[in-house]
Amino acid sequence: FFWQEGNGKVSRVIRIGTRKSQLARIQTDSVADRLKELYPDVHLEIVAMSTIGDKILDTALSKVRVDLVVHSLKDLPTTLPPGFTIGAVLKRENPHDAVVLHPNNAGKTLETLPEKSVIGTSSLRRAAQLKKRFPHLEFRDIRGNLNTRLKKLDEKQDFAAIILAAAGLKRMGWENRISTILEPEDCMYAVGQGALAVEVRARDADILEMVSVLHDPETVLRCIAERAFLRRLEGGCSVPVAVHTQVKDSQLYLTGAVYSLDGSDSLKETMGSAAQVQRVGVTASKIPSDAQDRAERLGMELADLLLSKGAKEILTVARQLNDSR
Ligand code: DPM
């Protein structure tokens, strides 16, 4: 796959797959821009795919139609299909969730919204935590991409507010719609939230080497611990599991929690580890491997602690109730 410039110079063509939503395009463009800066001689081609879904994107990768795909890390399963790996995890945006109010409620907070106000979210994780914390509110599903959700909020009277990841809002240029960023005491975030991941074929050594410079070491270690925690709990991307990670004085701290659907039942613990296999699908050869091992072990040990206290039962019930809705 080579490209001949007008001047006769031949450069390699790298094909980047993206979904068609505005957020997917913005995320893909931001990674493409970084790669262009780093490798001015490489010719990048962005291939928009109408078929939605991570599985289809993996198919696109496996059929050699594209060399890499940019994802929100939180949408990637903790075990990738064989042959694929996460070649880069970029510096995390603000990982917290944000409240976006209906224009009629300007100035309000979740606390001061009237009794029975309806909050839109399809995230079991957000609903479970916020139901417990703000029992006067009601929670209903809201679906569609970010553009659709904002429209549903603003143009109808169905929702008093919706909850979205601050990172997605920022990337869309809608930071001004954020009324409150939720503190971890109110709502902890999803595993990998706010970080972008570059998925590549594990055997494409050149591509792996090329994208690996995009890795942000602190984000990588935090996300390895978070993903190891989720994988050990056997949680998919739609279970009421939440995390919070921090690097302080070279120590990595992981707080993890599981919730029943209404948040009445929950388990939450924190563990620390010195911050420094295929680790939950991430390949980062320039980040010390013992640091990655320790991050992975931290995630697994925290999950084992919660499992010993009954996390499995809470998640099994939550899953069954959710499936029967
Ligand atoms: C996953 C969840 C949601 C997305 C579940 C969760 C939110 C679904 C909803 C796994 N993926 O967070 O508990 O609100 O009904 C998604 C968003 C982003 C990536 C949008 C968002 C952008 C932020 C990022 C959807 N995936 O969460 O507001 O890059 O982390």
Side-chain angles (χ1 to χ4, degrees):
F1 297 76
F2 294 94
W3 167 266
Q4 184 145 26
E5 309 276 350
N7 58 11
K9 205 168 101 188
V10 171
S11 64
R12 173 138 192 212
V13 178
I14 305 287
R15 287 161 66 84
I16 308 182
T18 182
R19 287 186 245 181
K20 286 184 169 172
S21 77
Q22 194 186 347
L23 180 65
R25 295 229 178 192
I26 289 171
Q27 295 184 163
T28 303
D29 286 348
S30 76
V31 171
D33 289 348
R34 293 275 314 270
L35 289 173
K36 249 181 248 165
E37 273 169 37
L38 290 161
Y39 307 100
D41 288 342
V42 165
H43 185 83
L44 297 175
E45 205 173 289
I46 295 180
V47 184
M49 288 174 286
S50 49
T51 32
I52 317 273
D54 301 321
K55 280 202 192 94
I56 312 281
L57 290 184
D58 286 335
T59 313
L61 267 176
S62 66
K63 292 198 172 145
V64 203
R65 280 185 295 196
V66 299
D67 298 295
L68 48 106
V69 179
V70 178
H71 302 269
S72 288
L73 181 60
K74 86 161 166 170
D75 293 327
L76 277 186
T78 51
T79 303
L80 298 187
F84 301 103
T85 189
I86 297 168
V89 179
L90 283 78
K91 189 172 166 56
R92 195 174 216 172
E93 285 276 358
N94 184 335
H96 298 279
D97 289 317
V99 180
V100 179
L101 293 167
H102 189 284
N104 291 352
N105 295 322
K108 291 266 194 319
T109 63
L110 291 183
E111 200 134 36
T112 61
L113 277 174
E115 194 79 18
K116 299 220 176 330
S117 292
V118 176
I119 311 300
T121 179
S122 311
S123 157
L124 302 183
R125 172 187 63 81
R126 289 172 183 148
Q129 294 182 80
L130 296 173
K131 274 177 188 166
K132 180 78 193 298
R133 179 75 183 75
F134 303 103
H136 67 293
L137 302 175
E138 289 192 0
F139 291 83
R140 283 213 200 113
D141 280 348
I142 181 166
R143 304 217 175 257
N145 63 35
L146 292 188
N147 309 63
T148 312
R149 289 185 196 205
L150 251 294
K151 230 176 157 168
K152 282 184 182 166
L153 172 69
D154 289 348
E155 294 177 8
K156 296 186 184 176
Q157 304 298 322
D158 296 352
F159 300 103
I162 60 177
I163 314 292
L164 293 170
L169 288 162
K170 175 152 188 234
R171 292 188 195 120
M172 295 287 278
W174 294 337
E175 239 179 332
N176 62 335
R177 291 299 308 266
I178 296 177
S179 64
T180 316
I181 301 261
L182 294 172
E183 299 290 334
E185 300 75 53
D186 293 335
C187 189
M188 295 204 301
Y189 43 83
V191 164
Q193 186 161 307
L196 295 183
V198 181
E199 188 187 18
V200 303
R201 278 181 292 272
R203 63 180 156 75
D204 275 355
D206 291 1
I207 301 280
L208 252 176
E209 168 82 22
M210 179 177 187
V211 300
S212 71
V213 298
L214 300 173
H215 267 309
D216 176 64
E218 182 174 316
T219 307
V220 170
L221 297 181
R222 289 171 64 185
C223 290
I224 284 176
E226 293 173 15
R227 285 168 62 78
F229 172 71
L230 183 63
R231 181 158 81 181
R232 188 70 145 217
L233 289 174
E234 295 171 34
C237 56
S238 62
V239 287
V241 169
V243 294
H244 181 78
T245 46
Q246 262 178 309
V247 176
K248 252 195 317 202
D249 306 325
S250 303
Q251 284 265 122
L252 174 62
Y253 295 91
L254 168 64
T255 301
V258 306
Y259 306 89
S260 61
L261 288 186
D262 65 0
S264 60
D265 214 358
S266 67
L267 290 166
K268 176 166 144 185
E269 294 289 344
T270 300
M271 273 188 175
S273 149
Q276 305 269 352
V277 193
Q278 173 151 339
R279 296 170 192 86
V280 278
V282 179
T283 302
S285 57
K286 292 187 186 76
I287 296 167
S289 129
D290 56 328
Q292 297 183 64
D293 285 341
R294 283 198 294 271
E296 179 129 7
R297 234 177 293 129
L298 175 62
M300 293 193 292
E301 281 169 13
L302 186 71
D304 287 341
L305 177 62
L306 290 192
L307 288 168
S308 75
K309 298 186 170 196
K312 182 148 216 125
E313 291 68 29
I314 291 178
L315 289 179
T316 303
V317 172
R319 243 184 238 116
Q320 285 166 350
L321 283 176
N322 187 50
D323 289 345
S324 66
R325 282 200 304 179

